[in-house]
């Protein structure tokens, strides 16, 4: 799960251009599913007892959407996740090996 504000921040930092960052966000949003946050998710995250409430919200959003995994730059807060958690590097490595096997 990635928050849209983080996507824009990272894209703008990498491109050094607001317009290019907007184009990047537009491209990303075309392929992402945006998870809704509702009362049930917030209550589950709160009741989870996880130290980082924002991480707990992400975990319970992912569970509610039956997602396969969470991709994050900071995996430490997800040690008690009910679904697998991968670093960006791990996902890119997996995608690279998938592409290699398809050739």
């Amino acid at each position: 799960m990635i928050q849209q504000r983080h996507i824009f921040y990272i894209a703008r930092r990498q491109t050094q251009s607001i317009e290019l960052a907007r184009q990047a966000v537009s491209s990303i949003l075309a392929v992402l599913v945006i998870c809704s946050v509702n009362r049930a998710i917030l209550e589950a995250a709160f009741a989870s007892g996880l130290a980082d409430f924002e991480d707990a919200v992400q975990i319970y959003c992912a569970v509610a959407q039956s997602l396969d995994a969470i991709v994050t730059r900071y995996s430490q807060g997800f040690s008690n996740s009910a679904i697998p958690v991968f670093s960006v590097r791990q996902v890119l490595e997996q995608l690279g090996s998938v592409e290699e096997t398809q050739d």
Side-chain angles (χ1 to χ4, degrees), residues 4 24 31-33 39 48-52 57-58 60-63 66 81 87 90 98 103:
Q4 186 173 353
V31 297
L32 290 181
V33 174
R39 182 182 187 99
S48 73
L50 293 174
D52 190 313
V57 169
Q58 290 181 54
Y60 285 92
C61 279
V63 169
S66 300
S81 177
S87 70
Q90 288 172 312
V98 168
D103 291 338

Side-chain angles (χ1 to χ4, degrees), residues 84-98:
V85 177
F86 298 104
S87 70
V88 174
R89 179 179 302 260
Q90 288 172 312
V91 171
L92 292 174
E93 287 172 356
Q94 285 185 349
L95 289 173
S97 64
V98 168

Side-chain angles (χ1 to χ4, degrees), residues 4-67:
Q4 186 173 353
R5 65 187 172 94
H6 294 153
I7 295 169
F8 185 79
Y9 170 78
I10 293 167
R12 193 174 94 200
R13 190 176 67 193
Q14 292 298 313
T15 63
Q16 299 294 309
S17 164
I18 290 175
E19 185 55 37
L20 290 175
R22 291 180 58 80
Q23 290 173 5
V25 170
S26 178
S27 295
I28 290 169
L29 291 176
V31 297
L32 290 181
V33 174
I34 306 300
C35 296
S36 298
V37 176
N38 58 32
R39 182 182 187 99
I41 288 170
L42 294 175
E43 288 176 346
F46 185 72
S48 73
L50 293 174
D52 190 313
F53 181 70
E54 288 181 0
D55 292 347
V57 169
Q58 290 181 54
I59 290 167
Y60 285 92
C61 279
V63 169
Q65 294 291 318
S66 300
L67 299 181

